[in-house]
Amino acid sequence: MARRLTPRHITLGGREAVALTLEEYEQLVASRRQIGGQSARVRVLSLEAKRTERLLQDLETLIMAPRDRCCEQRSAEATTSPESGSDGGASEPGTDCLRCAVAALLRRHRNPAS
């Protein structure tokens, strides 16, 4: 861990100031550069997270729109044709079609507490 700097207070032209050695000044400039770089990376990650969240919302909207009709069609097919239920009824309700399964996955990962 870096040593804690204790600035030397001086009065210059009637105003309070702090005097730094050349080494302390270079450390200060290097720290400012590092913080600036980290700030830029955080800003990019934040924008990417927002864009990803928007994509997931759009995907969920696209998937959820015909959900009722999709599940109704699948359940109607399952009752009329015995060979359509190849999994033997082992799947969770609402996840027997790809759209419903993806929607359930999105909901589960968006709200991990539920």
Side-chain angles (χ1 to χ4, degrees), residues 8-19:
R8 289 168 293 289
H9 295 276
I10 60 171
T11 304
L12 188 62
R15 296 179 62 192
E16 285 280 324
V18 177

Side-chain angles (χ1 to χ4, degrees), residues 4 9 14-15 21 30 49 57 62 70 76 80-81 89-90 96 102-103 113:
R4 180 151 172 88
H9 295 276
R15 296 179 62 192
T21 65
Q57 288 173 348
L62 180 66
C70 177
T80 58
S81 64
D96 55 345
V102 172

Side-chain angles (χ1 to χ4, degrees), residues 4-86:
R4 180 151 172 88
L5 300 176
T6 53
R8 289 168 293 289
H9 295 276
I10 60 171
T11 304
L12 188 62
R15 296 179 62 192
E16 285 280 324
V18 177
L20 299 173
T21 65
L22 185 57
E23 178 183 308
E24 291 170 339
Y25 178 76
E26 288 171 355
Q27 287 176 351
L28 178 64
V29 170
S31 295
R32 289 187 69 196
R33 252 186 262 120
Q34 288 175 350
I35 290 172
Q38 289 173 349
S39 175
R41 284 189 293 275
V42 166
R43 191 171 34 257
V44 167
L45 288 172
S46 174
L47 290 173
E48 193 169 317
K50 287 176 185 175
R51 194 172 64 234
T52 302
E53 179 65 24
R54 209 170 322 131
L55 172 68
L56 287 174
Q57 288 173 348
D58 292 346
L59 180 61
E60 186 175 26
T61 301
L62 180 66
I63 290 169
M64 293 300 289
R67 179 174 183 240
D68 293 335
R69 202 177 79 226
C70 177
C71 291
E72 287 173 4
Q73 287 174 350
R74 298 288 281 180
S75 62
E77 290 172 6
T79 58
T80 58
S81 64
E83 62 274 351
S84 65
S86 61

